[in-house]
């Protein structure tokens, strides 16, 4: 009940905060709203903590009441979707298979020995923040625990919000955040895929994501980890960046920047991702000489709100950084086994056909005619892998141990993005007639044809 | 590609995907069924205790008798990997108490008001033997002047 209430409140808060930029029906509103809302609530708790305000649920939700009242007065228009065809029904049924098996298991299991990072890092902080009623108490004792004090705080603070909602430190409520982010991942994937391809293709690829073994493991077996949340933000950040590069809508740029910043507020890998997204956006704005100050604000404001306060707070409390590149012991020999370890991505048992499809999509991209913006999707996945290689080369940890304990989760973070890139290509190849209006190059061809006819 | 052919292509892809996913789904079906049979009938507390019997019961005992402002030194008779595990997991259950875990009876206690003596389960010690320093006489001397607040199978708490 607490998990559902927390997810619903996060979705409402996120929808109130970012709803003006979100297009699509209720799945988009719920999934993107939850993803944005979890981030907004975590930042709100951080602000309350710094302002010495108590973490009472009503006090956290109070600032959103006027906005909610205003939105409720404007009745949201819901479009009745067209009835599903046989393939869509099949895809919807397939989408339920893995979650129906995994969710009761996750709800029954306590925190286990296998979920080290959950209780040693993410949920430990969530519990400690809740018990203290602020973040300063734990940060002041940063050197005392076997945790990663410099890791960002979205997941711990959202976990603390769930404890606050429960009125007690509840492991079951806190670890529910991973399944909630898993369902948000499916929603975000479907909404983004639906925007650029046909409904059957979007549903089929969403069903495939729902049954991706390693993504299931990270969301349900390793509930309490931050990886599922990160994969939502990576997918949304990359997806909306692609949308902006393709369509040029400032609202898409704003969402790309918001979700990339929330990725950086979730895990340190997200900082690298934010740097990639920010560089691409700033380069495009500069090269195209787009003078719109709103676009620049959309690029600069979300990182300033999410990342900067945490960096300042870390320095203020002398929290030792876990910056991988600060080790200063570069070991380039690590690159060879590091690159070799990426072959794990092609294991059918763990990632099914995800990365094989991505290879196929890379080969078929030209034929699908999605144009240059599509390349940003595999490009950002490659950028993340490059960051991982850099971390391997920095030689901070024993390479074998590191690959063994984290590579599968890092690939699981990237799998939704890889599958999304493939969905666009194979969706366009499978149904070019239906995706004509969705692909820019074909749209221009059609316009040309129409113009020549009218002439 | 005609629409029905596009649907067939997508159907083939989904079928192939589900065939490859099937062994994991099948395995998870059994795991979930067994887990629900074993755990769904017991409380959350008992589930955690079943998963980590010795450590969780010890943490519960300490939480009962040591106030949140307390400072605790845990002398743990356990192997090195288990010690590393307890150093991370005891704080999860005992925060905000200040906590230090050591596998040596001569571990200095500068600020700790409470002393906890924890002996790991024989099964855990059989998997990984104790490699620290454990002197029963020294332990007796350390606990002699203290009040025993709790005594259980594997854990004793002194003030």
């Amino acid at each position: 009940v607490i998990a559902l209430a927390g997810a619903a409140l996060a979705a409402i808060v996120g929808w109130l905060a970012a709803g003006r930029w979100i297009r699509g029906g209720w799945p988009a509103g719920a999934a993107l709203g939850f993803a944005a809302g979890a981030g907004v609530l975590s930042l709100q708790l951080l602000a309350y903590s710094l302002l010495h305000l108590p973490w009472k649920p009503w006090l956290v939700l109070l600032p959103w009441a006027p906005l909610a009242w205003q939105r409720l007065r404007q009745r949201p228009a819901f479009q009745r979707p067209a009835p599903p065809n046989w393939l869509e029904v099949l895809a919807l049924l397939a989408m339920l298979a893995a979650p129906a098996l995994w969710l009761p298991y996750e709800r029954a299991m306590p925190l286990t020995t296998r979920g080290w990072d959950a209780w040693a890092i993410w949920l430990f902080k969530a519990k400690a923040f809740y018990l203290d009623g602020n973040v300063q108490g734990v940060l002041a004792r940063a050197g005392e625990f076997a945790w990663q004090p410099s890791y960002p705080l979205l997941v711990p603070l959202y976990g603390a919000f769930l404890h606050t909602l429960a009125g007690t430190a509840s492991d079951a409520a806190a670890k529910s955040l991973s399944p909630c982010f898993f369902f948000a991942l499916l929603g975000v994937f479907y909404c983004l895929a639906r925007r650029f391809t046909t409904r059957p293709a979007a549903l089929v690829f969403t069903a495939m994501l729902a049954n991706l073994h390693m993504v299931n493991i990270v969301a349900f077996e390793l509930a309490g980890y931050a990886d599922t949340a990160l994969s939502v933000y990576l997918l949304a950040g990359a997806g909306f960046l692609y949308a902006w590069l393709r369509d040029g809508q400032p609202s898409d740029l704003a969402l790309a920047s918001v979700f990339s910043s929330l990725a950086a507020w979730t895990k340190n890998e997200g900082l690298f991702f934010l740097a990639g997204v920010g560089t691409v956006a700033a380069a495009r704005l500069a090269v195209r000489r787009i003078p719109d100050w709103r676009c620049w604000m959309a690029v600069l404001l979300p990182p300033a709100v999410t990342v900067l306060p945490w960096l300042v707070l870390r320095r203020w409390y002398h929290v030792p950084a876990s910056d991988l590149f600060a080790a200063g012991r570069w070991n380039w020999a690590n690159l060879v086994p590091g690159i070799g370890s990426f072959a794990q991505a092609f294991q059918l048992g763990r990632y099914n056909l995800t990365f094989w499809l991505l290879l196929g999509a890379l080969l078929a991209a030209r034929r699908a005619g999605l144009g240059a913006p599509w390349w940003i999707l595999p490009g950002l996945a490659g950028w993340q892998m490059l960051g991982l290689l850099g971390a391997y080369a920095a030689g901070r940890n024993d390479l074998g141990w590191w690959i063994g304990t984290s590579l599968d989760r890092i690939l699981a973070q990237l799998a939704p993005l890889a599958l999304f890139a493939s969905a666009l290509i194979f969706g366009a190849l499978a149904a070019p007639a239906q995706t004509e209006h969705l692909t820019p190059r074909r749209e221009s061809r059609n316009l040309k044809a129409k113009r020549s006819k009218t002439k | 590609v005609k629409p029905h052919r596009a649907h067939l292509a997508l159907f083939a892809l989904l079928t192939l995907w589900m065939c490859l996913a099937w062994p994991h789904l099948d395995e998870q079906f059994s795991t979930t069924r067994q887990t629900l049979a074993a755990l769904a009938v017991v409380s959350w507390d008992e589930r955690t205790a079943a998963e980590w019997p010795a450590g969780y019961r010890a943490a519960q005992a300490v939480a009962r008798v040591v106030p949140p402002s307390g400072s605790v030194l845990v002398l743990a008779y356990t192997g090195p990997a288990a010690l590393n595990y307890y150093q991370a997991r005891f704080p999860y259950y005992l925060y905000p108490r200040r906590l230090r875990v050591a596998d040596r009876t001569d571990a200095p206690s500068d600020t700790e008001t409470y002393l906890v003596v924890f002996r790991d389960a024989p099964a855990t010690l059989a998997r990984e033997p104790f490699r620290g320093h454990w002197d029963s006489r020294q332990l007796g001397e350390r606990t002699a002047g203290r009040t025993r607040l709790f005594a259980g199978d594997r854990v004793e708490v002194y003030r």
Side-chain angles (χ1 to χ4, degrees):
Chain A
V1 173
I2 295 299
L4 281 176
L9 288 172
I12 292 168
V13 166
W15 181 66
L16 292 172
R20 68 174 66 177
W21 300 318
I22 296 173
R23 286 188 280 168
W26 67 265
L32 291 165
F34 172 76
V40 168
L41 286 170
S42 68
L43 288 166
Q44 213 180 328
L45 289 197
L46 179 69
Y48 278 33
S49 178
L50 297 177
L51 296 168
H52 301 287
L53 290 172
W55 286 353
K56 302 282 182 198
W58 66 269
L59 201 58
V60 174
L61 298 171
L62 191 65
W64 300 101
L67 207 54
W69 175 248
Q70 190 194 353
R71 286 286 174 87
L72 278 177
R73 288 175 66 188
Q74 310 160 351
R75 281 194 172 180
F78 288 106
Q79 278 186 330
R80 185 186 283 266
N85 63 33
W86 65 271
L87 180 61
E88 291 168 343
V89 171
L90 209 62
L92 283 167
L93 289 174
M95 212 180 288
L96 297 175
L101 294 176
W102 277 100
L103 193 60
Y105 170 79
E106 186 278 328
R107 289 290 79 200
M109 288 296 281
L111 289 170
T112 64
T113 307
R114 199 181 168 197
W116 175 283
D117 285 14
W119 45 257
I121 302 172
W122 308 106
L123 297 189
F124 169 71
K125 287 187 200 180
K127 194 172 181 177
F129 290 160
Y130 165 72
L131 292 172
D132 287 342
N134 59 53
V135 297
Q136 292 95 320
V138 184
L139 292 179
R141 296 169 64 180
E144 213 176 294
F145 308 105
W147 52 314
Q148 300 281 1
S150 68
Y151 280 10
L153 302 182
L154 186 149
V155 165
L157 283 170
Y158 181 62
F161 174 72
L162 292 174
H163 287 315
T164 307
L165 214 55
T168 180
S170 162
D171 292 353
K175 79 196 267 283
S176 73
L177 61 87
S178 287
C180 288
F181 272 106
F182 173 79
F183 291 113
L185 178 67
L186 298 185
V188 170
F189 186 96
Y190 171 73
C191 297
L192 284 168
R194 179 66 192 100
R195 186 166 159 188
F196 305 115
T197 187
T198 61
R199 196 170 74 172
L203 281 172
V204 163
F205 274 86
T206 310
M208 286 156 59
L209 177 62
N211 291 285
L212 187 46
H213 184 56
M214 202 58 218
V215 172
N216 293 150
I217 287 193
V218 172
F220 297 102
E221 178 79 56
L222 303 179
Y225 279 50
D227 299 85
T228 307
L230 183 64
S231 61
V232 175
Y233 295 126
L234 296 184
L235 174 67
F240 283 109
L241 182 68
Y242 165 70
W244 177 66
L245 292 174
R246 209 194 71 136
D247 300 336
Q249 295 281 340
S251 59
D252 290 329
L253 177 62
L255 286 175
S257 181
V258 163
F259 287 118
S260 306
S261 302
L262 290 180
W265 177 230
T266 304
K267 272 194 101 179
N268 282 342
E269 293 96 306
L271 276 172
F272 200 70
F273 182 78
L274 176 64
V277 169
T279 306
V280 170
R284 168 139 165 152
L285 287 173
V287 168
R288 295 276 174 102
R289 294 184 183 171
I290 300 171
D292 192 345
W293 64 271
R294 287 173 307 173
C295 288
W296 282 103
M297 286 298 284
V299 174
L300 298 173
L301 200 60
V305 171
T306 54
V307 181
L308 276 184
W310 174 228
L311 294 180
V312 171
L313 204 62
R314 259 173 48 177
R315 190 157 282 261
W316 183 267
Y317 281 96
H318 306 289
V319 173
S322 59
D323 297 332
L324 295 168
F325 303 108
R329 291 177 281 115
W330 292 94
N331 184 0
W332 300 109
N334 279 355
L335 288 180
V336 177
I339 292 169
S341 69
F342 292 167
Q344 199 185 103
F346 297 99
Q347 286 178 1
L348 294 176
R350 282 185 175 180
Y351 304 98
N352 210 310
L353 294 167
T354 305
F355 292 96
W356 290 103
L357 286 176
L358 182 64
L359 269 187
L362 290 170
L363 296 173
R366 196 175 164 77
R367 208 176 141 205
L370 294 186
W374 177 82
W375 289 91
I376 198 64
L377 299 172
L380 281 171
W383 171 252
Q384 288 300 100
M385 303 300 274
L386 201 67
L388 185 61
L389 278 181
Y392 285 161
R396 191 179 164 91
N397 292 322
D398 173 64
L399 188 65
W401 171 82
W402 206 1
I403 289 173
T405 54
S406 66
L407 183 63
D408 51 359
R409 284 184 289 120
I410 288 169
L411 289 172
Q413 290 164 15
L414 296 176
L417 177 54
L419 204 57
F420 175 62
S422 309
L424 300 197
I425 294 293
F426 291 105
L429 286 176
Q434 293 166 58
T435 53
E436 259 188 353
H437 64 291
L438 301 168
T439 56
R441 190 187 287 183
R442 290 177 193 283
E443 187 177 44
S444 64
R445 274 185 200 160
N446 280 357
L447 283 173
K448 275 180 195 170
K450 276 181 190 169
R451 269 189 214 134
S452 61
K453 271 185 188 174
T454 48
K455 276 178 189 174
Chain B
V1 185
K2 289 180 181 173
H4 70 275
R5 285 196 185 169
H7 286 178
L8 285 178
L10 287 169
F11 172 67
L13 181 61
L14 181 61
T15 308
L16 180 60
W17 189 281
M18 293 309 286
C19 287
L20 289 169
W22 184 255
H24 293 301
L25 294 175
D26 188 37
E27 188 189 339
Q28 189 55 39
F29 178 71
S30 319
T31 310
T32 300
R33 204 172 49 175
Q34 287 164 13
T35 306
L36 289 178
L39 296 182
V41 288
V42 297
S43 70
W44 186 266
D45 204 37
E46 286 167 318
R47 291 180 213 182
T48 310
E51 199 275 326
W52 189 42
Y56 185 64
R57 291 292 180 218
Q60 276 188 317
V62 175
R64 267 200 301 275
V65 295
V66 176
S69 58
S71 183
V72 185
L73 172 66
V74 181
L75 301 179
Y77 187 85
T78 188
L83 181 78
N84 187 31
Y85 181 78
Y86 297 153
Q87 277 169 342
R89 194 146 189 193
F90 273 139
Y92 181 84
Y93 293 108
L94 294 174
Y95 188 86
R97 296 161 189 85
R98 291 182 183 275
L99 197 75
R100 208 154 53 84
V101 188
D103 61 351
R104 304 183 64 83
T105 48
D106 58 358
S109 76
D110 307 323
T111 54
E112 289 88 358
T113 325
Y114 295 86
L115 184 71
V116 173
V117 181
F118 170 67
R119 291 176 183 82
D120 211 337
T124 313
L125 287 166
R127 276 199 302 274
E128 188 198 35
F130 176 73
R131 293 210 185 90
H133 171 78
W134 201 263
D135 182 343
S136 300
R137 193 180 54 81
Q138 192 177 33
L139 188 63
E141 283 170 8
R142 286 190 80 155
T143 55
R146 291 173 177 264
T147 313
R148 193 160 72 176
L149 302 175
F150 178 84
D153 281 349
R154 316 217 160 279
V155 66
E156 288 158 19
V157 185
Y158 297 90
R159 181 174 181 163

